[in-house]
Amino acid sequence: MRKVLIADDDFISLEVLKAMLTNFDIELLTAMNGQEALEQAEQRPELIFLDYEMPDMSGAEVCRQLRQSEKHKKTPIIAITSHQSASEMSACREAGMDATLHKPVSPEALSELMSEYLQ
């Protein structure tokens, strides 16, 4: 079974995403902060969703650390953000994120990304 990791410090956002992903045949890994995301990533998920704003480190910082590891160089990493500022989008791209998902997350946008990155 394919693994997908979601890291979001907002419990409600995390639960909403989990509910949206129940229709997919995946094993879901979750994290509530950047450090937990790094630990869960050791299970080698095939797709990672990172909230941009987390208390201990940003999603971009987590992505940057993951990209330094050989096992995550090609893992698709998607930013989840409620902001759309140019500086935040730039930080996501520079960290090596593959795409951005905006909050509130639409089921259609999530499905598109799942199809695109978990072919």
Side-chain angles (χ1 to χ4, degrees):
M1 186 177 290
R2 307 178 99 177
K3 292 180 187 173
V4 174
L5 168 61
I6 301 172
D8 196 324
D9 64 309
D10 182 74
F11 179 77
I12 293 171
S13 294
L14 190 61
E15 289 301 310
V16 167
L17 280 170
K18 284 168 53 178
M20 286 183 187
L21 291 171
T22 56
N23 298 332
F24 295 91
D25 187 26
I26 57 170
E27 177 183 343
L28 200 52
L29 308 170
T30 60
M32 295 288 292
N33 60 51
Q35 187 58 46
E36 281 182 24
L38 292 171
E39 291 165 12
Q40 290 284 27
E42 290 302 310
Q43 295 188 50
R44 300 186 83 149
E46 294 178 53
L47 178 60
I48 300 172
F49 292 94
L50 297 173
D51 182 27
Y52 184 79
E53 283 188 41
M54 291 187 282
D56 58 341
M57 61 181 89
S58 74
E61 291 170 308
V62 173
C63 182
R64 202 171 291 109
Q65 286 191 39
L66 290 171
R67 292 294 188 218
Q68 291 173 1
S69 164
E70 197 57 43
K71 59 186 161 191
H72 295 296
K73 287 232 186 279
K74 295 192 186 310
T75 305
I77 301 177
I78 314 292
I80 304 171
T81 180
S82 53
H83 309 288
Q84 297 179 28
S85 72
S87 62
E88 195 171 285
M89 296 300 102
S90 178
C92 290
R93 276 191 305 279
E94 288 170 14
M97 292 188 171
D98 296 283
T100 305
L101 189 58
H102 297 285
K103 290 180 182 178
V105 174
S106 81
E108 296 79 19
L110 184 60
S111 281
E112 271 183 42
L113 289 170
M114 292 293 288
S115 296
E116 182 177 346
Y117 291 106
L118 286 183
Q119 300 170 0

